[in-house]
Amino acid sequence: MNSDRVLQVGPLLPSLERNLRERYDAVLLDGQDDGFLDRHGAEFAAVVTTARVGVDRALMDRLPGLRVIVNFGVGYDTTDVVAAAERGIAVSNTPDVLTDCVADTAVGGLIDVMRRFSAADRFVRRGDWTRGPFPLAAKVSGKRIGILGLGRIGRAIAHRLQGFDTEISYHSRRPVEGVSYAYAESPEKLAAWSDALIVATSGGAGTRGLVSAEVLEALGPDGYLVNIARGSVVDEPALVAALTGGRLAGAALDVFADEPNVPPALLDLDSVVLLPHIASATHETREAMGDLALLNLRRFLEEGRLVTPVPAPSPQGRRSS
Ligand code: 8YV
């Protein structure tokens, strides 16, 4: 029996799916009958999945021959990396290749929510311009921007925002060496200082609810929130309450706690920019992510090593991507 098979878990980029089928004769788990894993689970050495789906402990238990999980996406909070480490299963992700697009989206969201471009677009389409001018918005250049999580993406956001003469401060688990931005001791202190707070941490247990009701209160009624990280990092009910109660000026959100479900209260709010998790969603970047996922799979199956392994899990570690 072939015990080196590749299992696809969750829908992937069509070109990646095609490559997996053509080069590895990969099998798609979705749509298989209930007994499929009982009959064939032991045959799979590799899983290729996406940051949106991942592999939990229960699925690993049904794949006793599994040696590698290749994750399409930089975030891997949907894969239980502790369970993988216990079983000696290697895990890879797709860092770096998406940094530009995610940082571009953060800056785009920031400008959109502060200058109210999406709201102004709706205003024009509704025909409201013929009845009077659009209300004034908030200036972006020169503002104080707090970045929560100064990993690759956080740094790329900061780098872009320097071009807007903004002041930048950040909070992460510990100060990052070699950067000149001021370090804030806590998310609350960062939010209290910031005109806008950009969330760029990784998801998972270590960052769950990091942007709490207290952090949103510190950001205040003139403050803006941008989230391109994970919905789990923000206390979403508290965010909705702050926005609907006028205790936060606005938010640009690419990620939500229960995607693709967006809190209904946000749908009618003109002060929020709502994006369907598209920060990395360009042809160029998604192809590069697919190529890197394939490279990880090939190297692992041929040479037993990954090109971009995820860091070893640290208990409750708060990481930045
Ligand atoms: C993608 C992401 O939405 O890389 C991540 O962590 O969230 C995004 O790039 C995801 O990987 C697509 O499935």
Side-chain angles (χ1 to χ4, degrees):
M1 187 203 304
N2 177 7
S3 58
D4 224 11
R5 300 181 72 190
V6 175
L7 183 67
Q8 176 187 336
V9 176
L12 295 169
L13 187 72
S15 58
L16 176 57
E17 289 194 355
R18 201 171 45 248
N19 272 302
L20 290 174
R21 254 196 334 270
E22 287 172 7
R23 297 189 202 176
Y24 296 97
D25 197 20
V27 176
L28 176 62
L29 178 62
D30 311 47
Q32 298 289 350
D33 64 75
D34 286 349
F36 174 78
L37 286 179
D38 295 332
R39 296 192 305 277
H40 299 288
E43 296 167 23
F44 295 100
V47 161
V48 182
T49 187
T50 148
R52 294 198 183 184
V53 180
V55 183
D56 62 14
R57 188 178 282 270
L59 181 53
M60 286 180 216
D61 283 343
R62 305 195 67 195
L63 300 167
L66 190 62
R67 290 187 285 127
V68 66
I69 298 168
V70 172
N71 180 57
F72 176 89
V74 68
Y76 47 89
D77 47 309
T78 49
T79 285
D80 189 335
V81 288
V82 173
E86 284 167 11
R87 291 159 173 74
I89 299 169
V91 182
S92 68
N93 65 344
T94 59
D96 299 317
V97 291
L98 46 58
T99 297
D100 280 343
C101 277
V102 178
D104 293 351
T105 304
V107 175
L110 176 73
I111 297 175
D112 191 337
V113 71
M114 290 184 76
R115 295 296 310 275
R116 309 193 63 211
F117 289 153
S118 289
D121 177 277
R122 289 190 290 273
F123 176 87
V124 172
R125 288 173 200 270
R126 277 196 306 266
D128 287 357
W129 195 13
T130 56
R131 288 186 277 279
F134 186 70
L136 301 182
K139 181 175 176 178
V140 176
S141 291
K143 285 290 162 65
R144 293 176 162 193
I145 311 294
I147 300 180
L148 193 57
L150 203 68
R152 300 174 185 89
I153 293 171
R155 281 196 295 267
I157 294 167
H159 177 68
R160 283 159 174 71
L161 287 174
Q162 285 181 309
F164 291 83
D165 296 326
T166 56
E167 276 184 73
I168 291 165
S169 180
Y170 73 99
H171 171 76
S172 52
R173 256 184 311 169
R174 60 184 77 87
V176 176
E177 277 178 33
V179 301
S180 56
Y181 315 120
Y183 179 72
E185 293 294 333
S186 68
E188 286 85 351
K189 286 190 177 150
L190 181 66
W193 173 88
S194 301
D195 295 309
L197 183 67
I198 302 182
V199 186
T201 61
S202 57
T207 57
R208 188 168 300 282
L210 195 61
V211 179
S212 59
E214 292 72 29
V215 171
L216 296 170
E217 198 184 318
L219 198 51
D222 296 323
Y224 294 86
L225 184 79
V226 177
N227 189 4
I228 45 78
R230 284 290 183 265
S232 60
V233 184
V234 177
D235 179 339
E236 199 169 77
L239 174 63
V240 172
L243 286 163
T244 52
R247 285 176 280 112
L248 194 67
L253 307 170
D254 184 47
V255 286
F256 300 87
D258 179 30
E259 296 172 10
N261 302 305
V262 173
L266 297 183
L267 299 178
D268 295 327
L269 273 189
D270 234 12
S271 59
V272 291
V273 175
L274 302 170
L275 302 176
H277 201 145
I278 52 165
S280 70
T282 63
H283 295 294
E284 297 89 335
T285 288
R286 286 286 168 86
E287 287 301 329
M289 290 164 67
D291 289 348
L292 185 51
L294 275 178
L295 188 60
N296 271 299
L297 180 64
R298 181 158 64 83
R299 283 277 167 80
F300 190 88
L301 293 179
E302 287 175 9
E303 299 167 27
R305 66 191 177 91
L306 290 166
V307 186
T308 49
V310 306
S314 63
Q316 296 289 299
R318 194 187 298 163
R319 294 176 231 98
S320 347
S321 43

